[in-house]
Amino acid sequence: MMKKTPTLHQRHDDAQTGAAYSGGNTTGKNILVCGSVAFDTIAVFEGHFKEHILAESIQSLSVSFFVPTMRKEYGGCAGNIAYNLSLLGASAVPVGMVGPDASDYIEYMQRLGINTRHVQVLDDMFTPQCFITTDLDNNQIASFHPGAMLQSAQNDWGDTRAAWGIVAPDSKDGMFAHARRFKSQGIPFVFDLGQAMPLFDGEDLRQMLELADIVTANDYEASIIVQRTGLSMTEIAGSLRAVVVTRGAEGSTLYENGTETHVPAIKAEQVVDPTGCGDAHRAGLLHGLVQGWTLQQSCCLANVMGAFKIASKGPQNHQPSRDQISEALQRHYGIKLSLA
């Protein structure tokens, strides 16, 4: 079982806003967050891969890296989105599959006020885990074990009511199962292709577009969606409520009602780690939608959340207060709406 460092314990205990919460809230303000709940193990090799992985020996590769620095982070798309929604004071309900090794992760989410009633534990499988080794050039070698995520299609949230949902990267079967549940229950949802991109061919994407209300993607993922479906972003948005394409430091583009709106980025205090920025952005978008904001206002909040995230190492270690988020929203975009 993973042991968190005292520093991580202290940071999140200080941020705690209430007692452990494991369910019971079935109000229409819920946001159902479907996706992976995972661990990220990140090790640092204090050297350069290129000095050890030789092209002429690639056919019989056998290398070992000494990694004196290692950290283990709470992650997964559903976990990261739910964390950011908790910062905003939203009612996040992650829908994901884990193994018994995730007991501390579940307890941690509960301390943050996240409803874990639909985080199911499979006793005979591991929690999804990503193992990443990074060298001094920021090159990465990663391996991903899906574990319990392979059974995510079985995770049915039943009669839990929600204002919005999101289908974030997960197993392909799980993503389709959740999308169809949203459609059958009349719950609008955001489709976030993300790291699941290799799993979806053109026909798969067209089927998902028929189910979704909003599509979010970064600029590379958007180009793949266009290539595989043969449809432009404008054409895709024409059959949906909207499409949001993030473009890193250039901000984002909102496709809505036949128009394109550029939503400028805000400059982060520092650029430390992009891991989880997309998930922070999705959380801001969803919270704005649940609050009844316009899509453009919601995209502005999404950009603010991404900026706070990129200034911190790891996907769940940034801790802006709601007052800080509101101040940034007003200062950069002139938006004075309440987050509550």
Side-chain angles (χ1 to χ4, degrees), residues 91-120:
S91 180
V93 185
V95 180
M97 293 290 212
V98 298
D101 53 329
S103 59
D104 60 328
Y105 196 167
I106 294 173
E107 291 169 4
Y108 153 81
M109 286 194 285
Q110 291 172 352
R111 289 199 303 273
L112 292 174
I114 296 171
N115 184 330
T116 60
R117 64 185 301 187
H118 295 307
V119 178
Q120 292 192 14

Side-chain angles (χ1 to χ4, degrees), residues 48-324:
H48 305 273
F49 292 149
K50 64 185 179 184
E51 297 173 357
H52 298 265
I53 302 176
L54 305 177
E56 62 270 20
S57 303
I58 198 71
Q59 72 278 3
S60 57
L61 185 65
S62 178
V63 294
S64 178
F65 301 108
F66 179 67
V67 289
T69 303
M70 186 180 80
R71 72 182 193 272
K72 198 164 188 176
E73 301 275 6
Y74 296 130
C77 294
N80 295 342
I81 295 169
Y83 173 79
N84 283 278
L85 286 169
S86 75
L87 294 176
L88 290 162
S91 180
V93 185
V95 180
M97 293 290 212
V98 298
D101 53 329
S103 59
D104 60 328
Y105 196 167
I106 294 173
E107 291 169 4
Y108 153 81
M109 286 194 285
Q110 291 172 352
R111 289 199 303 273
L112 292 174
I114 296 171
N115 184 330
T116 60
R117 64 185 301 187
H118 295 307
V119 178
Q120 292 192 14
V121 179
L122 299 181
D123 291 333
D124 59 345
M125 303 187 82
F126 287 110
T127 298
Q129 301 188 45
C130 188
F131 304 91
I132 304 169
T133 302
T134 302
D135 73 357
L136 295 182
D137 293 325
N138 286 321
N139 295 310
Q140 291 186 338
I141 297 175
S143 301
F144 183 73
H145 174 68
M149 192 179 82
L150 293 174
Q151 304 300 319
S152 60
Q154 301 175 19
N155 197 347
D156 188 344
W157 58 78
D159 61 354
T160 299
R161 290 184 293 145
W164 273 88
I166 183 169
V167 174
D170 203 338
S171 72
K172 179 179 174 181
D173 288 345
M175 293 176 76
F176 269 113
H178 296 322
R180 290 174 180 130
R181 289 185 184 111
F182 279 129
K183 191 71 171 180
S184 67
Q185 295 181 20
I187 300 172
F189 76 93
V190 174
F191 170 49
D192 178 18
L193 178 61
Q195 299 97 320
M197 182 174 56
L199 305 177
F200 286 75
D201 62 21
E203 181 58 30
D204 295 326
L205 289 169
R206 284 188 288 270
Q207 289 182 35
M208 190 64 80
L209 293 175
E210 291 178 359
L211 298 168
D213 294 85
I214 293 175
V215 168
T216 58
N218 63 31
D219 46 3
Y220 177 72
E221 293 158 2
S223 69
I224 295 298
I225 292 172
V226 168
Q227 179 187 58
R228 292 182 184 172
T229 63
L231 301 170
S232 69
M233 280 292 112
T234 301
E235 289 172 326
I236 291 171
S239 61
L240 302 170
R241 189 173 301 192
V243 172
V244 179
V245 178
T246 58
R247 305 187 188 279
E250 296 179 7
S252 58
T253 304
L254 169 64
Y255 297 82
E256 180 189 20
N257 296 327
T259 63
E260 293 182 29
T261 303
H262 174 63
V263 183
I266 67 175
K267 187 175 181 179
E269 291 185 3
Q270 53 183 338
V271 177
V272 175
D273 180 7
T275 306
C277 283
D279 297 326
H281 188 278
R282 309 313 181 235
L285 176 67
L286 285 162
H287 186 63
L289 291 170
V290 169
Q291 295 300 108
W293 297 8
T294 68
L295 272 158
Q296 185 172 352
Q297 291 168 335
S298 301
C299 287
C300 291
L301 177 58
N303 284 358
V304 167
M305 295 304 293
F308 277 116
K309 161 62 228 42
I310 204 169
S312 177
K313 183 175 290 186
Q316 296 185 30
N317 294 319
H318 54 297
Q319 294 187 2
S321 68
R322 269 171 251 169
D323 285 343
Q324 289 173 316

Side-chain angles (χ1 to χ4, degrees), residues 18-37:
Y21 176 56
S22 60
N25 185 346
T26 57
T27 70
K29 287 289 188 179
N30 284 337
I31 300 172
L32 286 164
V33 184
C34 304
S36 60
V37 177

